[in-house]
Amino acid sequence: MTIGSVHKREVKVFKNIYEMTFFVIERWIEISESAINKKGRFEAGLSGGRTPTSLYQGLSEFRKLPWERTHIFLVDERFVPYESSENNYHMINQTLLRHINIPEENIHSIPTQEKTLPASAEKYERDLISHFKLSQNEFPRFDLILLGMGEDGHTASIFPDTPAVKERTRLVTAVAETVRFRNDRITVTMPVINNAENVIFMVSGYNKANAVKRVIGEEDSLLPASMVNPKKGKLYFLVDEEAAAYL
Ligand code: 6PG
């Protein structure tokens, strides 16, 4: 069920995460085919967390997708070793990457072995600039960015009332841990997200209902998830019935 499309945002409510996942897999196939037809490759930025795991497991069954022409980037990362269960790349590798025939050089994880958090952010930013062949002040244009949303309305690792919310020039920024969230983080910035051709939010569970009400129902501009509005792109905001409880 679609309940409105503010800006170019299409809000869809699904019975459960599995129906939502099926919809996202259909969009992934469509977007990747279009990107590969247009420019010979498909570039996607993936989020961590629990919500997208069913999607990644589902995608891992599609061995015939053009993985050799697909580039996978991370939207954000916790500054912990790969071996940590908190590491997003670890989760995405376990659920998707190790099961598909994707070339190693097409996997762009965020380095967490640098000596400092800023050094990791700078290294990932250089990877983006190099891969997308960006000039000064240019942002990468991902074909698809997949986002989740926290109960506080954060997305990627852009948390309310943190400097990352206001970052408009860097592609990637370091996020120091606070009492509100675990682990130092590295995240792409809002201008990168809003330069994408397609952005898909996957939000599931009653614990997100209040944030969904504030972002979708009230357009509460203080929440980072409300700031996602790709200027030349399509935004899908997908929720299950529990997360849509207050809409
Ligand atoms: C991360 C994600 C983060 C996540 C939300 C929702 O690194 O954790 O990028 O933005 O999408 O916190 O997480 P859940 O899907 O686990 O609810």
Side-chain angles (χ1 to χ4, degrees):
M1 174 179 66
T2 296
I3 52 171
S5 51
V6 181
H7 321 300
K8 294 181 289 299
R9 182 179 70 192
E10 188 173 346
V11 181
K12 293 181 83 66
V13 181
F14 294 86
K15 195 163 181 51
N16 54 47
I17 184 68
Y18 301 105
E19 290 192 6
M20 186 194 300
T21 296
F22 186 76
F23 177 84
V24 179
I25 289 175
E26 285 181 324
R27 297 292 72 70
W28 179 289
I29 293 170
E30 187 184 279
I31 294 166
S32 62
E33 272 175 10
S34 165
I36 289 168
N37 290 341
K38 195 166 54 180
K39 58 181 183 175
R41 65 189 181 283
F42 167 52
E43 288 139 337
L46 305 186
S47 282
R50 285 180 307 281
T51 307
T53 52
S54 57
L55 169 67
Y56 302 151
Q57 288 159 344
L59 284 170
S60 72
E61 304 291 320
F62 285 75
R63 308 293 164 92
K64 295 241 181 309
L65 276 175
W67 295 116
E68 72 290 347
R69 290 177 175 271
T70 297
H71 285 261
I72 298 289
F73 291 80
L74 272 287
V75 160
D76 66 338
E77 187 56 278
R78 295 81 178 272
F79 195 56
V80 293
Y82 169 77
E83 296 71 21
S84 161
S85 60
E86 296 275 309
N87 183 284
N88 287 336
Y89 173 45
H90 183 112
M91 180 275 286
I92 296 171
N93 191 34
Q94 293 299 97
T95 52
L96 173 59
L97 300 175
R98 61 196 285 262
H99 303 287
I100 57 177
N101 189 22
I102 184 168
E104 195 61 33
E105 63 271 21
N106 289 21
I107 299 172
H108 305 262
S109 58
I110 298 176
T112 57
Q113 67 277 12
E114 303 306 294
K115 283 195 175 36
T116 67
L117 186 62
S120 272
E122 284 154 23
K123 186 166 183 187
Y124 191 54
E125 187 168 72
R126 287 196 300 275
D127 181 16
L128 290 176
I129 291 169
S130 157
H131 175 83
F132 286 93
K133 299 181 177 55
L134 302 176
S135 51
Q136 189 80 16
N137 303 325
E138 192 182 7
F139 292 101
R141 186 160 170 77
F142 281 93
D143 301 300
L144 171 62
I145 285 186
L146 187 78
L147 296 175
M149 183 179 70
E151 295 177 36
D152 59 356
H154 82 261
T155 192
S157 284
I158 304 173
F159 291 85
D161 310 318
T162 62
V165 169
K166 298 189 175 67
E167 181 55 60
R168 290 294 177 269
T169 50
R170 301 294 303 272
L171 308 184
V172 180
T173 192
V175 181
E177 183 179 24
T178 73
V179 290
R180 287 180 289 143
F181 54 89
R182 277 199 314 275
N183 304 317
D184 288 342
R185 313 274 184 112
I186 297 116
T187 186
V188 298
T189 57
M190 200 54 82
V192 169
I193 294 171
N194 281 333
N195 202 42
E197 185 143 347
N198 296 277
V199 178
I200 300 180
F201 271 101
M202 294 180 77
V203 184
S204 165
Y206 184 70
N207 62 316
K208 306 288 177 72
N210 186 48
V212 168
K213 176 168 70 82
R214 288 181 61 189
V215 171
I216 301 297
E218 299 162 4
E219 302 275 310
D220 181 339
S221 57
L222 290 177
L223 298 187
S226 296
M227 300 171 188
V228 174
N229 179 22
K231 45 190 179 303
K232 291 181 301 214
K234 170 91 180 166
L235 171 59
Y236 290 99
F237 203 103
L238 311 180
V239 291
D240 64 9
E241 286 177 352
E242 288 188 4
Y246 301 149
L247 287 185

